[in-house]
């Protein structure tokens, strides 16, 4: 039998199959393919939820809530620290009250014991301490201190009222003087090119007036006259090298006097400003360094205060100055307390 394509299967013939010794058999017709069921129409995929970068809206909202909680916690900590700083400043200020002008009648031993109790309470502050706790303790301490220092606070109030009356009287006198002179007397409006001697008379007049007012505890008007003297100092134009040095020394004295006025008026930003102006003229002037160290103490920048005091004590005048020595002693105590406080806080954190 002849089978096209040789032995085996002829895929192309489609007529039949022959094996050795077998008759040719007609191939059965291929079954018809089963009808395909109609496929269900696929729904389009849902649009993805909008994202913020790599975050889903849910994750973003959760992150916002976490951030809000963190901000609230930070604000609470800031308020707590502010209250603690105010309490600490009050304790520091009242420790100096017995040695102040009106502190002679204070029971120093009782006051020290009360302040120590307040300071010890601060040392026991923990993470559970709230702003309300500190405010309550501050109010209690202030009430106790005011009772101990009743005469002291009364004297301060009387001095304040007296100063206000003096300022009003001085303002009236100044207005009368300006009216009599036919000018407002303000140094900044004097644009004349006066000879050195005439301008110096104005400088000296304002400086001496300021000193008289300062002695009378009229610190605000004293500061005004010292400032006017400085303004006149800036209007010299015909100075020799010797004259220039003379004016520099006058300016130095005026800035120191202004710093002292602002100490009396409790404006320590102005104290710092004029102490720096004085130090720009003489970088090692002990009184200017002392004034700036006072400001640093108020700002709790004890290391800067100590640096200025060390420099002040290197000067022959500063070396013998009792005020500088007293402030240095106080600064050293405060630095030690700060270190002890930090050590105790870290001990609690890791204990």
């Amino acid at each position: 039998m002849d089978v096209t394509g040789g032995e085996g299967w002829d895929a192309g013939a489609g007529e039949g199959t022959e094996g050795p010794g077998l008759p040719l058999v007609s191939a059965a017709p291929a079954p018809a393919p089963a009808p395909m069921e109609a496929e269900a129409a696929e729904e389009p995929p849902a649009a993805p939820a909008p994202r913020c970068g790599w975050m889903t809206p849910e994750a973003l909202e959760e992150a916002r809530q976490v951030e809000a909680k963190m901000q609230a916690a930070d604000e609470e900590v800031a308020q707590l620290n502010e209250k603690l700083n105010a309490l600490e400043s009050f304790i520091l200020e009242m420790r100096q009250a017995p040695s102040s002008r009106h502190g002679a009648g204070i029971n120093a031993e009782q006051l020290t014991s009360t302040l120590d109790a307040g300071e010890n309470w601060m040392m026991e502050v923990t993470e559970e301490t709230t702003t309300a706790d500190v405010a309550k303790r501050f109010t209690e301490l202030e009430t106790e201190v005011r009772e101990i220092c009743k005469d002291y606070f009364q004297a301060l109030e009387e001095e304040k009222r007296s100063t206000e009356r003096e300022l009003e009287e001085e303002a009236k006198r100044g207005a009368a003087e300006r009216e009599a002179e036919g000018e407002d007397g303000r140094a900044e409006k004097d644009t004349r090119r006066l000879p050195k001697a005439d301008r110096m008379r104005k400088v000296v007049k304002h400086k001496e007036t300021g000193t008289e007012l300062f002695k009378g505890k009229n610190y605000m008007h004293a500061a005004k006259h010292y400032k006017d003297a400085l303004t006149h100092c800036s209007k010299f134009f015909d100075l020799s090298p010797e004259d220039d040095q003379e004016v520099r020394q006058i300016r130095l004295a005026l800035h120191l006097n202004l710093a002292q006025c602002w100490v009396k008026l409790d404006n320590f930003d102005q104290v710092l400003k004029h102490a720096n102006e004085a130090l720009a003229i003489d970088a090692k002037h002990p009184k200017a360094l002392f004034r700036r160290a006072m400001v640093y103490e108020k700002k709790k920048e004890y290391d800067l205060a100590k640096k200025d005091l060390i420099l002040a004590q290197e000067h022959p005048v500063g070396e013998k100055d009792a005020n500088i020595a007293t402030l240095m002693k106080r600064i050293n105590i405060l630095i030690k307390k700060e270190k002890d406080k930090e050590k105790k806080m870290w001990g609690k954190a890791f204990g």
Side-chain angles (χ1 to χ4, degrees):
M1 181 180 295
D2 182 19
V3 179
T4 305
E7 296 181 359
W9 174 265
D10 183 359
E15 297 295 333
T17 305
E18 181 184 15
L22 294 176
L24 180 64
V25 181
S26 297
M36 296 181 61
E37 295 182 2
E39 295 184 0
E42 295 183 2
E43 294 188 9
R51 293 172 175 261
C52 177
W54 54 270
M55 299 181 71
T56 64
E58 293 78 8
L60 179 60
E61 179 59 28
E62 183 179 354
R64 285 174 177 163
Q65 292 177 4
V66 171
E67 178 66 18
K69 290 180 181 178
M70 291 175 63
Q71 289 179 351
D74 288 344
E75 185 177 349
E76 173 66 20
V77 169
Q79 292 176 356
L80 178 63
N81 287 334
E82 184 179 352
K83 287 290 185 183
L84 285 170
N85 287 338
L87 177 56
E88 187 176 20
S89 296
F90 176 73
I91 292 172
L92 177 61
E93 180 182 353
M94 292 313 303
R95 286 194 186 281
Q96 301 173 30
S99 60
S100 68
R101 185 168 60 257
H102 302 300
I106 295 175
N107 184 331
E109 183 177 350
Q110 185 181 5
L111 176 62
T112 298
S113 176
T114 301
L115 296 175
D116 285 347
E119 197 166 69
N120 290 337
W121 182 89
M122 289 183 63
M123 298 290 286
E124 298 299 326
V125 167
T126 65
E127 293 182 356
E128 286 73 30
T129 304
T130 65
T131 304
D133 294 333
V134 180
K136 180 182 177 183
R137 185 67 184 97
F138 194 171
T139 300
E140 292 171 350
L141 180 64
E142 188 175 19
T143 301
E144 294 175 33
V145 169
R146 284 189 172 276
E147 182 62 30
I148 296 169
C149 306
K150 187 182 298 183
D151 293 340
Y152 168 79
F153 284 107
Q154 184 177 349
L156 288 180
E157 185 61 30
E158 290 175 357
E159 182 181 58
K160 180 181 177 181
R161 288 196 295 267
S162 176
T163 300
E164 289 173 351
R165 288 194 298 269
E166 290 175 1
L167 289 173
E168 292 176 2
E169 292 171 2
E170 177 60 24
K172 292 177 182 177
R173 286 196 298 269
E177 290 175 4
R178 290 193 294 272
E179 184 178 356
E181 294 174 1
E183 58 182 64
D184 64 9
R186 296 307 301 269
E188 63 266 21
K189 294 186 178 181
D190 188 349
T191 58
R192 296 170 294 174
R193 289 172 61 85
L194 296 177
K196 184 233 175 183
D198 293 341
R199 184 65 70 185
M200 185 60 77
R201 275 193 291 271
K202 291 186 174 294
V203 172
V204 172
K205 177 183 176 182
H206 280 291
K207 184 172 182 290
E208 290 178 347
T209 302
T211 300
E212 287 302 315
L213 289 168
F214 185 90
K215 289 177 180 178
K217 300 180 182 179
N218 196 339
Y219 305 122
M220 184 64 75
H221 279 77
K224 173 193 172 298
H225 281 281
Y226 288 141
K227 182 179 177 182
D228 284 346
L230 274 174
T231 302
H232 282 297
C233 281
S234 68
K235 297 180 182 294
F236 287 107
F237 66 95
D238 56 348
L239 298 179
S240 66
E242 293 78 11
D243 291 337
D244 183 66
Q245 184 59 29
E246 177 188 3
V247 172
R248 282 174 59 86
Q249 292 305 308
I250 292 174
R251 287 175 50 233
L252 173 61
L254 289 168
H255 281 300
L256 291 171
N257 291 350
L258 275 163
Q260 180 64 1
C261 285
W262 293 117
V263 167
K264 297 294 185 180
L265 294 166
D266 289 328
N267 188 331
F268 287 92
D269 288 336
Q270 287 293 324
V271 177
L272 181 61
K273 173 186 174 183
H274 289 288
N276 282 333
E277 292 283 358
L279 290 168
I281 298 171
D282 183 350
K284 296 184 179 181
H285 197 284
K287 188 176 290 186
L289 290 164
F290 172 69
R291 294 278 178 256
R292 191 166 69 177
M294 289 176 62
V295 179
Y296 287 149
E297 180 192 17
K298 289 286 183 181
K299 293 178 177 290
K300 300 182 183 178
E301 296 177 353
Y302 303 132
D303 290 334
L304 292 176
K306 184 171 183 177
K307 182 179 178 181
D308 275 355
L309 293 172
I310 290 173
L311 189 58
Q313 289 183 323
E314 291 176 356
H315 193 283
V317 174
E319 184 181 11
K320 301 175 183 178
D321 193 306
N323 290 327
I324 293 176
T326 299
L327 182 55
M328 175 66 90
K329 182 179 179 180
R330 191 161 68 238
I331 291 296
N332 284 331
I333 292 172
L334 290 169
I335 289 174
K336 184 178 184 302
K337 284 186 175 182
E338 284 286 303
K339 290 181 177 179
D340 290 344
K341 182 178 178 181
E342 290 178 5
K343 184 178 179 180
K344 188 170 184 179
M345 290 179 69
W346 281 113
K348 286 183 178 180
F350 295 102

